[in-house]
Amino acid sequence: MKYALFNQLAHRYDWHTPPHHYQDDHSFVLSKLPKPPGRIIDMGCGTGVFLEKALAAGFNVSGFDASLEMVQLATNRIGKDRVQVAQIQDFEENAIYNGIVSLCWSFNYIHTFTEASEILTRCFNSLLPGGRLILQLAHAANVSGILNEDREPGPKGQPNDVMFLYRFRQVPEHSDRLIAQYVYGCKSEKELLFEEHQLAVADVKRLAAEAEAIGYEQIELLDSWKGEPFKNSINVFLLATRR
């Protein structure tokens, strides 16, 4: 399914969710990857914010996203030779990466755990010995249903011109699924969007078990970029290493 937030309105993404929102997450991920100049790929790279930071840190970076519009924006950041249009389900290489990352719940747009296990296996085969996989994942069981609001400057710096509301709800009778509800609005551009996203495989414990069965080692689940062991977070980091 194509979501307008990632496609027709991709050029507004950095307005309602500006790059500085990710600075702590991205610094954390960079600190957990093998040292540059290793080869890193970002699955679901969005507008290329992480790739730009990784490139500046000295990594050899590449990425892909299912959205052509997102890839076009990422191209503006890091060049057309480093990003392409592709789905996570299509990813398959052979022992060429020092690090594979998938951030901002991109992995949760996979549909089933069977699919997730296949992708984790492909990632394992794509990592060099000592390479690291880092996933930022939703965990549906910890969803509270709280409505959150963020206000950002408009395109000409207008205070509180951009509004972003978001809420996450667990799907009844499906402990590993959630619905993400998003409202984007920009007063100066007279724009308004409401959209619901269906997210799956949102059980980090099960994904960690899948990773262990595949052969990953040093598997960690962390509540946030601060490095606390997983407990209450809806937004979880999974780290794993190929020996």
Side-chain angles (χ1 to χ4, degrees), residues 22-23 44-45 68 84 103 109 122 176-177 204 206:
Y22 305 115
Q23 60 187 5
C45 65
L68 171 62
Q84 62 179 321
L103 308 178
Y109 287 86
R122 292 178 186 178
D176 63 335
R177 294 180 178 270
V204 298
R206 183 170 176 181

Side-chain angles (χ1 to χ4, degrees), residues 89-123:
Q89 292 90 333
D90 299 328
F91 174 70
E92 188 167 16
E93 300 283 359
N94 184 24
I96 62 173
Y97 293 108
N98 302 98
I100 299 173
V101 305
S102 185
L103 308 178
C104 297
W105 299 4
S106 295
F107 201 84
N108 294 108
Y109 287 86
I110 294 167
H111 303 114
T112 67
F113 277 102
T114 298
E115 204 171 47
S117 182
E118 292 172 355
I119 295 164
L120 289 173
T121 299
R122 292 178 186 178
C123 289

Side-chain angles (χ1 to χ4, degrees), residues 6 11 14 25 37-38 44 54 69 74 92 121 127 135 147 167-168 171 205 229 232 236 239:
F6 301 152
H11 61 303
D14 288 344
D25 288 343
E69 291 86 350
E92 188 167 16
T121 299
L127 285 169
L135 306 178
L147 181 63
R167 178 172 63 186
F168 310 114
V171 177
K205 293 181 180 179
N232 298 317
V236 183
L239 284 68

